[in-house]
Amino acid sequence: MANYKMAEANSRIIPLEDKIFGINKLAKEMIAKEGADKVVNSTIGSLLDDNGNLVVLSSVVDVLKDLTPTDYADYAPIAGTPDYQRDIKKAAFGKFQPKCYTEAIATPGGTGSIRNTIQNYSKRGDQVLTSDWYWSPYSTIAQEIERTIATYTLFDDKGNFNISSFDNKVNELLSKQDGLVIIINTPAHNPTGYTFTDDDWDKALESIKNATKNGNKKVTLLVDVAYIDFAGDADKYRSFYPKLENLPTNILVIIGFSMSKGYTMYGMRSGAMICMTSDKEIADEFKTVCSFSCRGSWSNCTRASMVVLSKIFADKALLDKVTAEREKYCQMLVKRGKTFQASADEVGLNTVPFDSGFFIVVPCENAEEVGKELQKSGIFTVPIGKGLRVSVASVSEAKCKMLPAKMLEAINKVNA
Ligand SMILES: Cc1ncc(COP(=O)(O)O)c(C=O)c1O
């Protein structure tokens, strides 16, 4: 535990430097010294074009440029403008029309939805369940509000969803806690790129229903869909939603939606938490408690991005334009992922089961050392415990093709 002069650790483990930021800095230093063509910087969690520039949807920027001063200077209501609350549901659900009560609360990015879910649906000291491969800010957020993360093993030894590990953990935690928040990040999970199949969903929901069937325990299922608009076909990747609409009332579903990727609004801090429940009182309560949390943490979110979304959804031609532009970049990303996977298969490099999205994980022993070995040849990846995270979102297709052979070479060298 750090011995701070003035600060209080409050049970948090606070690293001195963000790991990804640190490796990214090394990559940038090497680019400055040796030139961009000598370096593969696959640490970045934003979509970059083949020249390493941030992809920004011009159709969205045009709307932003057209806003009135009031649109960006004024406060927004705490829970979001009424138009935004309506339209963000359309953005999240697409063609799916939920047959249950849904309420949306604006949050600063998907991050805010995670924070508010943990704050309102678990108790101080509780454990929040997610998979062993997970986005590390889940733990930061949990620690900030005096909770911790518990994990189940995502994959069994055949590379399938490990339902028995999931089921064991759900029951273990519910034997100790009155309620449980479970975070499932799908489609295009960060960091593995895995997407829950229909069968995975059926098994997970069956497990949760069984564990709560007596009615004296409750589960809040946070489905973190941060990457839903960059997974591939919009309808196909939303086909799991109907499974979530008729659950018992002691299972609350919250969709954590982000405009960061899908609308390239990373810095505008826009997203939402959307509840799905068959009980109107639970939906009303959701609005009350989550609005309180907004007021007590960030107050309200950026009005400009809310107006942008509403303008897009008010104009069919504009929505089509944004969708078509995103589609083009989505295909670029999907191609990069497929190229990496095909090349990995060709050279015999093992990857954690990948479907689509920004990242792929290569499992290996001594990931830190392998990462350093790769840096010697200008390849920057992020060691995450049991493997190396490669951002296919930030490197060209040509680099995705050559990376697996280089990675295999480094793994073999370090672990010889
Ligand atoms: C798994 C996951 N969830 C949620 C988010 C939310 O991000 P933001 O708060 O920028 O919308 C991210 C962003 O990287 C993510 O990777």
Side-chain angles (χ1 to χ4, degrees):
M1 187 61 62
N3 196 4
Y4 295 119
K5 285 189 171 169
M6 292 295 289
E8 298 294 349
N10 288 331
S11 330
R12 296 165 303 168
I13 299 163
I14 305 176
L16 284 180
E17 185 182 47
D18 180 86
K19 189 175 182 175
I20 301 180
F21 182 82
I23 302 172
N24 189 24
K25 204 168 102 190
L26 291 177
K28 283 188 172 154
E29 282 166 9
M30 195 165 193
I31 289 172
K33 234 167 71 196
E34 317 250 339
D37 56 323
K38 301 282 188 308
V39 176
V40 181
N41 184 1
S42 76
T43 64
I44 302 166
S46 323
L47 185 61
L48 306 185
D49 65 18
D50 288 352
N51 301 317
N53 300 314
L54 184 72
V55 167
V56 184
L57 297 181
S58 62
S59 50
V60 175
V61 172
D62 289 346
V63 186
L64 197 55
K65 283 186 179 156
D66 255 8
L67 296 187
T68 66
T70 314
D71 288 335
Y72 47 82
D74 201 3
Y75 284 126
I78 301 291
T81 63
D83 286 354
Y84 182 75
Q85 288 178 310
R86 182 196 58 224
D87 296 331
I88 198 80
K89 289 195 233 172
K90 294 184 193 160
F93 291 134
K95 288 189 186 136
F96 168 65
Q97 300 207 333
K99 289 187 258 341
C100 58
Y101 295 100
T102 58
E103 293 291 348
I105 300 283
T107 56
T111 301
S113 71
I114 298 157
R115 190 257 173 217
N116 273 2
T117 300
I118 297 177
Q119 172 67 323
N120 287 294
Y121 295 96
S122 67
K123 290 183 189 165
R124 212 172 283 155
D126 273 359
Q127 292 206 286
V128 169
L129 183 62
T130 196
S131 53
D132 51 351
W133 296 107
Y134 70 92
W135 187 48
S136 63
Y138 290 162
S139 171
T140 311
I141 297 166
Q143 289 185 67
E144 270 292 293
I145 46 180
E146 295 168 59
R147 276 75 159 174
T148 50
I149 293 289
T151 59
Y152 65 92
T153 308
L154 180 54
F155 299 110
D156 63 18
D157 48 17
K158 294 199 178 75
N160 296 319
F161 170 56
N162 194 334
I163 181 57
S164 75
S165 176
F166 179 85
D167 190 55
N168 287 341
K169 271 289 174 188
V170 168
N171 284 292
E172 180 198 316
L173 292 172
L174 279 177
S175 72
K176 298 190 272 196
Q177 302 176 181
D178 294 337
L180 178 63
V181 170
I182 303 173
I183 307 177
I184 295 181
N185 173 212
T186 189
H189 174 250
N190 178 3
T192 65
Y194 186 70
T195 297
F196 257 43
T197 64
D198 278 352
D199 191 45
D200 299 346
W201 271 117
D202 292 343
K203 287 178 174 152
L205 291 172
E206 198 52 38
S207 157
I208 296 169
K209 280 192 222 167
N210 276 333
T212 53
K213 67 172 179 265
N214 291 339
N216 56 353
K217 301 277 176 173
K218 50 194 184 178
V219 162
T220 300
L221 178 60
L222 173 64
V223 189
D224 178 353
V225 298
Y227 295 90
I228 198 163
D229 282 321
F230 272 105
D233 181 80
D235 297 336
K236 179 182 145 203
Y237 281 98
R238 282 171 171 77
S239 64
F240 66 93
Y241 279 134
K243 294 181 187 293
L244 305 177
E245 65 188 347
N246 276 317
L247 297 173
T249 53
N250 58 341
I251 304 173
L252 174 66
V253 173
I254 297 177
I255 306 299
F257 187 78
S258 166
M259 281 179 68
S260 303
K261 280 98 190 160
Y263 295 80
T264 61
M265 294 277 241
Y266 308 88
M268 295 285 286
R269 309 310 302 138
S270 224
M273 54 198 307
I274 306 167
C275 74
M276 296 175 72
T277 170
S278 44
D279 184 332
K280 181 165 185 325
E281 282 179 22
I282 290 174
D284 290 344
E285 175 188 90
F286 168 88
K287 269 203 303 193
T288 308
V289 299
C290 295
S291 299
F292 186 88
S293 281
C294 295
R295 191 54 168 141
S297 41
W298 48 78
S299 190
N300 48 54
C301 302
T302 314
R303 176 184 276 267
S305 44
M306 295 186 202
V307 180
V308 167
L309 188 86
S310 295
K311 282 188 184 290
I312 293 170
F313 276 84
D315 178 343
K316 165 96 175 51
L318 181 56
L319 178 61
D320 288 348
K321 198 169 154 195
V322 172
T323 309
E325 193 182 3
R326 183 196 296 122
E327 176 63 26
K328 188 182 77 188
Y329 289 114
C330 184
Q331 275 175 22
M332 174 184 86
L333 178 68
V334 168
K335 253 175 110 188
R336 287 181 188 171
K338 284 195 187 331
T339 300
F340 187 99
Q341 185 69 71
S343 179
D345 292 347
E346 209 177 291
V347 300
L349 178 76
N350 195 13
T351 64
V352 174
F354 168 81
D355 174 53
S356 64
F358 280 36
F359 308 106
I360 293 185
V361 171
V362 173
C364 64
E365 303 281 318
N366 304 312
E368 293 283 343
E369 287 72 24
V370 177
K372 286 198 183 106
E373 180 61 32
L374 281 164
Q375 288 177 12
K376 290 183 196 157
S377 41
I379 295 168
F380 293 82
T381 57
V382 181
I384 42 167
K386 299 174 291 177
L388 292 167
R389 189 189 82 169
V390 177
S391 164
V392 292
S394 68
V395 297
S396 67
E397 193 183 331
K399 287 178 177 170
C400 285
K401 192 168 165 49
M402 69 79 160
L403 266 174
K406 296 272 185 204
M407 292 185 79
L408 187 64
E409 206 180 294
I411 291 170
N412 288 341
K413 187 165 174 200
V414 169
N415 294 322

